[in-house]
Amino acid sequence: MKYDNYNNLPELDCPKTFAGKSPKIQKLIKESLQILICLGIPIDEITERKREKMGMAFLAVGNVKSSNEWKKIKDSNSDYSVTTKEIIDFDNNNLEDNISRGSYDYVLRDDLKFLLLADIVIKSKPMANTSNPTRGYKISAEYSRIIKNYGQSDWFKQVEVFNSSHPTYEEKISQKRNLPKIKVTTPDGKEIELKDGEHNAIQKAIIEEFLSRFGYGAQLLYCGDSDNKYGLIFEEQKLQELGFSDLKQSKLPDVVAYSPEKDWVYMIEAYHTSNPITPTRKLELQKIMGESSKKGIFVTAFENVSSYHKCTEELAWETEIWIATEPDHMQHRDGVKFLGPMGEDS
């Protein structure tokens, strides 16, 4: 969702904390998050409580206590700065919270993390040790220029101009990740790029070699990648149509494909040093698949024979073993049929 007007504030619902606060404090915290989102801070990957605490930490560092004080936000041109313990005191005294002062380490690790990486918040003593309790934090004077204008009728246009000359957090991370890529051609001829690495090299072999031999015209529905939250390929609607109940990247296998010809769903793990399809993992995948588990083909793919022999985990029965260096062959872990979901009639 794009937060491009003052009425379109981020949703935030924490029953034990946020929901118990007064409407004016709720609105203030939502405003802080709207500003941060517009300046490129990602919030989709963190819990609502962590979003709330990040917004409160931002308010504390700028000494903003009400919605009409954005134009007065304190920055690095002033003498104002706050330590992590003082941020907790600010949150408790001004934002109707009840955070333990003993949790000050979490303020730096969680609440200020993205703000520091984005340079919206800076350290008052850059050379001080991380554990130095006197080290404070300030709003960058560069960012305070745009923050102070929050509330103006054209502020969202101002932000677009500001961001064009100030790389956002996500852009900075993208620059850091400008690493060699592995080019992969999908079954339908599309070209995607995976982060370079041994694990993703196995995924490339799965997509280009395994599916071309054993996929029966399979369509690629999901391909995970550590640089992409939802993977480079993520056909959410089709997965839902097949009955998948949990589409979190952390739950899905490395590759998911579907063969309309056979009505089979391929659940494939690329084994480098971990995560083969064990009995526990197979059961987890079956629960994710729902009714389509009866159509499941469960495959653990290995780079070579040596890596297969190094796998000490117990592989599940009724699953397949495929080795990229011997792409024309496959091993089946027992059962009455080869490469066919056990839900089908023999």
Coordinates of all heavy atoms in Angstrom, one line a residue, residues 150-200:
Y150 N 6.5 17.9 7.3 CA 5.3 17.0 7.3 C 4.1 17.8 7.8 O 4.1 18.5 8.8 CB 5.6 15.9 8.3 CG 4.5 14.8 8.4 CD1 4.4 13.9 7.4 CD2 3.7 14.8 9.5 CE1 3.4 12.9 7.5 CE2 2.7 13.8 9.6 CZ 2.5 12.9 8.6 OH 1.5 12.0 8.7
G151 N 3.0 17.6 7.0 CA 1.8 18.3 7.3 C 1.5 19.3 6.2 O 0.3 19.7 6.1
Q152 N 2.5 19.7 5.5 CA 2.3 20.7 4.4 C 1.5 20.0 3.2 O 1.7 18.8 3.0 CB 3.6 21.2 3.9 CG 4.3 22.1 4.9 CD 5.6 22.7 4.4 OE1 6.0 22.5 3.2 NE2 6.3 23.4 5.2
S153 N 0.7 20.7 2.5 CA -0.2 20.1 1.5 C 0.6 19.4 0.4 O 0.1 18.4 -0.2 CB -1.0 21.2 0.8 OG -0.2 22.2 0.2
D154 N 1.8 19.8 0.1 CA 2.6 19.1 -1.0 C 3.7 18.3 -0.4 O 4.6 18.0 -1.2 CB 3.1 20.2 -2.0 CG 4.1 21.1 -1.3 OD1 4.2 21.2 -0.1 OD2 4.9 21.8 -2.0
W155 N 3.6 17.9 0.8 CA 4.7 17.2 1.4 C 5.1 15.9 0.7 O 6.2 15.5 0.5 CB 4.4 16.8 2.9 CG 5.5 16.2 3.6 CD1 6.7 16.8 4.1 CD2 5.7 14.8 3.9 NE1 7.5 15.9 4.7 CE2 7.0 14.7 4.6 CE3 5.0 13.6 3.7 CZ2 7.5 13.4 5.0 CZ3 5.5 12.4 4.1 CH2 6.7 12.3 4.8
F156 N 4.1 15.1 0.2 CA 4.4 13.8 -0.4 C 5.1 14.1 -1.8 O 6.0 13.3 -2.1 CB 3.1 13.1 -0.7 CG 2.4 12.6 0.6 CD1 1.4 13.4 1.2 CD2 2.8 11.5 1.3 CE1 0.9 13.0 2.4 CE2 2.3 11.1 2.5 CZ 1.3 11.9 3.1
K157 N 4.9 15.2 -2.4 CA 5.6 15.5 -3.6 C 7.0 15.9 -3.2 O 8.0 15.6 -3.9 CB 5.0 16.7 -4.4 CG 3.7 16.3 -5.1 CD 3.9 15.4 -6.2 CE 2.7 15.1 -7.0 NZ 2.9 14.1 -8.1
Q158 N 7.2 16.7 -2.1 CA 8.5 17.0 -1.6 C 9.3 15.8 -1.3 O 10.5 15.8 -1.6 CB 8.3 17.9 -0.3 CG 7.7 19.2 -0.5 CD 7.7 20.0 0.8 OE1 8.6 20.0 1.6 NE2 6.6 20.7 1.1
V159 N 8.7 14.8 -0.7 CA 9.4 13.5 -0.4 C 10.0 12.9 -1.7 O 11.1 12.4 -1.7 CB 8.5 12.6 0.4 CG1 9.2 11.2 0.5 CG2 8.2 13.1 1.7
E160 N 9.2 12.9 -2.7 CA 9.6 12.3 -4.0 C 10.9 13.0 -4.5 O 11.8 12.3 -4.9 CB 8.5 12.4 -5.1 CG 7.3 11.5 -4.8 CD 6.3 11.6 -5.9 OE1 6.6 12.1 -7.0 OE2 5.2 11.1 -5.7
V161 N 10.9 14.3 -4.4 CA 12.1 15.0 -4.9 C 13.2 14.7 -3.9 O 14.4 14.5 -4.4 CB 11.8 16.5 -4.9 CG1 13.0 17.3 -5.2 CG2 10.6 16.9 -5.9
F162 N 13.0 14.7 -2.6 CA 14.0 14.5 -1.6 C 14.6 13.1 -1.9 O 15.9 12.9 -1.9 CB 13.4 14.6 -0.2 CG 14.4 14.3 0.9 CD1 15.2 15.4 1.4 CD2 14.6 13.1 1.4 CE1 16.1 15.2 2.4 CE2 15.6 12.9 2.4 CZ 16.3 13.9 2.9
N163 N 13.8 12.1 -2.0 CA 14.3 10.7 -2.2 C 15.1 10.5 -3.5 O 16.0 9.7 -3.6 CB 13.2 9.7 -2.2 CG 12.6 9.5 -0.8 OD1 13.2 9.8 0.2 ND2 11.4 8.9 -0.7
S164 N 14.8 11.4 -4.5 CA 15.5 11.2 -5.8 C 17.0 11.6 -5.6 O 17.9 11.1 -6.4 CB 14.9 12.2 -6.8 OG 15.1 13.5 -6.5
S165 N 17.4 12.3 -4.6 CA 18.8 12.7 -4.3 C 19.3 12.1 -3.0 O 20.5 12.4 -2.7 CB 19.0 14.2 -4.3 OG 18.2 14.8 -3.3
H166 N 18.5 11.3 -2.3 CA 18.9 10.7 -1.1 C 18.6 9.2 -1.2 O 17.4 8.8 -1.0 CB 18.3 11.3 0.1 CG 18.6 12.7 0.3 ND1 18.1 13.8 -0.4 CD2 19.5 13.3 1.2 CE1 18.6 14.9 0.0 NE2 19.5 14.7 1.0
P167 N 19.5 8.3 -1.4 CA 19.2 6.9 -1.5 C 18.5 6.4 -0.2 O 18.9 6.7 0.9 CB 20.6 6.2 -1.6 CG 21.5 7.3 -2.2 CD 20.9 8.6 -1.6
T168 N 17.4 5.7 -0.4 CA 16.6 5.1 0.7 C 17.4 3.9 1.3 O 18.3 3.4 0.7 CB 15.2 4.7 0.3 OG1 15.3 3.7 -0.7 CG2 14.5 5.9 -0.3
Y169 N 16.9 3.4 2.4 CA 17.4 2.2 3.0 C 17.4 1.1 2.0 O 18.5 0.4 1.8 CB 16.6 1.8 4.2 CG 16.9 0.4 4.7 CD1 18.0 0.2 5.5 CD2 16.0 -0.6 4.4 CE1 18.2 -1.1 6.0 CE2 16.3 -1.9 4.8 CZ 17.4 -2.2 5.6 OH 17.6 -3.4 6.0
E170 N 16.3 0.9 1.3 CA 16.2 -0.3 0.4 C 17.2 -0.1 -0.7 O 17.8 -1.1 -1.2 CB 14.8 -0.4 -0.1 CG 13.8 -0.9 1.0 CD 12.4 -1.1 0.6 OE1 12.0 -0.3 -0.3 OE2 11.7 -2.0 1.1
E171 N 17.4 1.1 -1.2 CA 18.3 1.4 -2.3 C 19.8 1.1 -1.9 O 20.6 0.6 -2.6 CB 18.2 2.8 -2.8 CG 16.9 3.0 -3.6 CD 16.6 4.4 -3.9 OE1 17.2 5.3 -3.2 OE2 15.8 4.7 -4.8
K172 N 20.1 1.5 -0.6 CA 21.4 1.3 -0.1 C 21.7 -0.2 0.1 O 22.8 -0.7 -0.2 CB 21.6 2.0 1.3 CG 21.6 3.5 1.2 CD 21.6 4.1 2.5 CE 21.7 5.7 2.4 NZ 21.6 6.3 3.7
I173 N 20.7 -1.0 0.6 CA 20.9 -2.4 0.7 C 21.0 -3.0 -0.7 O 21.8 -3.9 -0.9 CB 19.7 -3.0 1.4 CG1 19.6 -2.6 2.9 CG2 19.7 -4.5 1.3 CD1 20.9 -3.0 3.7
S174 N 20.3 -2.5 -1.7 CA 20.4 -3.1 -3.0 C 21.8 -2.9 -3.6 O 22.3 -3.7 -4.3 CB 19.3 -2.4 -3.9 OG 19.5 -2.8 -5.3
Q175 N 22.4 -1.7 -3.3 CA 23.7 -1.4 -3.7 C 24.7 -2.4 -3.1 O 25.7 -2.8 -3.7 CB 24.1 0.0 -3.4 CG 23.3 1.1 -4.3 CD 23.4 2.5 -3.7 OE1 24.2 2.7 -2.8 NE2 22.7 3.4 -4.3
K176 N 24.5 -2.7 -1.8 CA 25.4 -3.6 -1.1 C 25.3 -5.0 -1.7 O 26.2 -5.8 -1.6 CB 25.1 -3.6 0.4 CG 25.4 -2.3 1.1 CD 25.1 -2.4 2.6 CE 25.4 -1.1 3.3 NZ 25.0 -1.2 4.8
R177 N 24.1 -5.3 -2.2 CA 23.9 -6.6 -2.8 C 24.2 -6.7 -4.2 O 23.8 -7.6 -4.9 CB 22.5 -7.0 -2.5 CG 22.2 -7.3 -1.0 CD 20.7 -7.6 -0.8 NE 20.4 -8.0 0.5 CZ 19.2 -8.3 1.0 NH1 18.2 -8.2 0.3 NH2 19.1 -8.6 2.3
N178 N 24.9 -5.8 -4.8 CA 25.3 -5.8 -6.2 C 26.4 -6.8 -6.4 O 27.5 -6.5 -6.7 CB 25.7 -4.4 -6.6 CG 25.9 -4.4 -8.1 OD1 25.3 -5.2 -8.9 ND2 26.7 -3.4 -8.6
L179 N 26.0 -8.1 -6.2 CA 26.9 -9.2 -6.3 C 26.7 -10.0 -7.6 O 25.7 -9.8 -8.2 CB 26.7 -10.1 -5.1 CG 26.8 -9.5 -3.7 CD1 26.4 -10.4 -2.6 CD2 28.3 -9.1 -3.4
P180 N 27.7 -10.9 -7.9 CA 27.5 -11.7 -9.1 C 26.2 -12.5 -9.0 O 25.8 -13.0 -7.9 CB 28.7 -12.6 -9.0 CG 29.7 -11.9 -8.3 CD 29.0 -11.1 -7.2
K181 N 25.5 -12.7 -10.1 CA 24.3 -13.4 -10.2 C 24.4 -14.7 -11.0 O 25.2 -14.8 -11.9 CB 23.2 -12.5 -10.7 CG 22.9 -11.2 -9.9 CD 22.2 -11.5 -8.6 CE 21.8 -10.3 -7.9 NZ 21.1 -10.5 -6.6
I182 N 23.5 -15.6 -10.8 CA 23.4 -16.8 -11.6 C 22.2 -16.7 -12.5 O 21.0 -16.5 -12.0 CB 23.2 -18.1 -10.7 CG1 24.4 -18.3 -9.8 CG2 23.0 -19.3 -11.6 CD1 24.3 -19.4 -8.8
K183 N 22.3 -16.7 -13.8 CA 21.2 -16.6 -14.7 C 20.5 -18.0 -14.8 O 21.2 -19.0 -15.1 CB 21.7 -16.1 -16.0 CG 22.1 -14.6 -16.0 CD 22.5 -14.1 -17.3 CE 22.9 -12.6 -17.3 NZ 23.1 -12.0 -18.6
V184 N 19.2 -17.9 -14.7 CA 18.4 -19.2 -14.8 C 17.3 -19.0 -15.8 O 16.6 -18.0 -15.8 CB 17.8 -19.5 -13.4 CG1 17.0 -20.8 -13.5 CG2 18.9 -19.6 -12.4
T185 N 17.1 -20.0 -16.7 CA 16.0 -19.9 -17.7 C 14.9 -20.9 -17.2 O 15.1 -22.0 -16.9 CB 16.5 -20.4 -19.0 OG1 17.6 -19.6 -19.5 CG2 15.4 -20.3 -20.1
T186 N 13.7 -20.3 -17.0 CA 12.6 -21.1 -16.5 C 12.0 -21.9 -17.6 O 12.3 -21.7 -18.8 CB 11.5 -20.1 -15.9 OG1 11.0 -19.3 -17.0 CG2 12.1 -19.2 -14.9
P187 N 11.1 -22.9 -17.2 CA 10.5 -23.8 -18.3 C 9.8 -23.0 -19.4 O 9.7 -23.5 -20.5 CB 9.6 -24.6 -17.4 CG 10.2 -24.7 -16.1 CD 10.8 -23.3 -15.9
D188 N 9.2 -21.8 -19.0 CA 8.5 -21.1 -20.1 C 9.4 -20.1 -20.8 O 8.9 -19.2 -21.5 CB 7.3 -20.4 -19.4 CG 7.7 -19.4 -18.4 OD1 8.9 -19.3 -18.0 OD2 6.8 -18.7 -17.8
G189 N 10.7 -20.2 -20.6 CA 11.6 -19.4 -21.4 C 12.0 -18.0 -20.7 O 12.8 -17.3 -21.3
K190 N 11.5 -17.7 -19.6 CA 11.9 -16.5 -18.9 C 13.3 -16.6 -18.3 O 13.7 -17.7 -17.9 CB 10.9 -16.1 -17.8 CG 9.5 -15.8 -18.3 CD 8.6 -15.5 -17.1 CE 7.1 -15.2 -17.6 NZ 6.2 -14.9 -16.5
E191 N 13.9 -15.5 -18.2 CA 15.3 -15.5 -17.6 C 15.2 -14.7 -16.2 O 14.8 -13.6 -16.2 CB 16.3 -14.9 -18.5 CG 17.7 -15.1 -18.0 CD 18.8 -14.6 -19.0 OE1 19.2 -13.4 -18.9 OE2 19.2 -15.4 -19.8
I192 N 15.7 -15.4 -15.2 CA 15.7 -14.8 -13.9 C 17.2 -14.8 -13.4 O 18.0 -15.6 -13.9 CB 14.8 -15.4 -12.9 CG1 15.1 -16.9 -12.7 CG2 13.3 -15.2 -13.3 CD1 14.3 -17.6 -11.6
E193 N 17.5 -14.1 -12.3 CA 18.8 -14.1 -11.7 C 18.7 -14.4 -10.3 O 18.0 -13.8 -9.5 CB 19.5 -12.7 -11.9 CG 19.8 -12.4 -13.4 CD 20.6 -11.1 -13.5 OE1 20.5 -10.3 -12.6 OE2 21.3 -10.9 -14.5
L194 N 19.5 -15.4 -9.8 CA 19.6 -15.8 -8.4 C 21.0 -15.3 -7.9 O 21.9 -15.1 -8.6 CB 19.6 -17.3 -8.3 CG 18.3 -18.0 -8.6 CD1 18.5 -19.5 -8.6 CD2 17.2 -17.6 -7.7
K195 N 21.0 -15.0 -6.6 CA 22.2 -14.6 -6.0 C 23.2 -15.7 -6.1 O 22.9 -16.9 -6.0 CB 22.0 -14.4 -4.5 CG 23.2 -14.0 -3.7 CD 22.8 -13.8 -2.2 CE 24.0 -13.4 -1.4 NZ 23.6 -13.2 0.1
D196 N 24.5 -15.4 -6.5 CA 25.5 -16.4 -6.7 C 25.8 -17.2 -5.5 O 26.0 -16.6 -4.4 CB 26.8 -15.6 -7.2 CG 27.8 -16.6 -7.8 OD1 27.4 -17.8 -8.0 OD2 29.0 -16.2 -7.9
G197 N 25.9 -18.5 -5.6 CA 26.2 -19.3 -4.4 C 25.9 -20.8 -4.8 O 25.2 -21.1 -5.7
E198 N 26.5 -21.7 -4.0 CA 26.4 -23.1 -4.3 C 24.9 -23.6 -4.2 O 24.5 -24.4 -4.9 CB 27.3 -23.9 -3.3 CG 28.8 -23.6 -3.6 CD 29.7 -24.3 -2.6 OE1 29.3 -24.4 -1.4 OE2 30.7 -24.8 -3.0
H199 N 24.2 -23.1 -3.2 CA 22.8 -23.5 -3.0 C 22.0 -23.1 -4.2 O 21.2 -23.9 -4.7 CB 22.2 -22.8 -1.7 CG 20.8 -23.2 -1.4 ND1 19.8 -22.5 -2.0 CD2 20.3 -24.2 -0.7 CE1 18.6 -23.0 -1.6 NE2 18.9 -24.1 -0.8
N200 N 22.1 -21.9 -4.7 CA 21.3 -21.4 -5.8 C 21.8 -22.1 -7.1 O 21.0 -22.2 -8.1 CB 21.4 -19.9 -5.9 CG 20.5 -19.2 -4.9 OD1 19.6 -19.9 -4.3 ND2 20.7 -17.9 -4.8

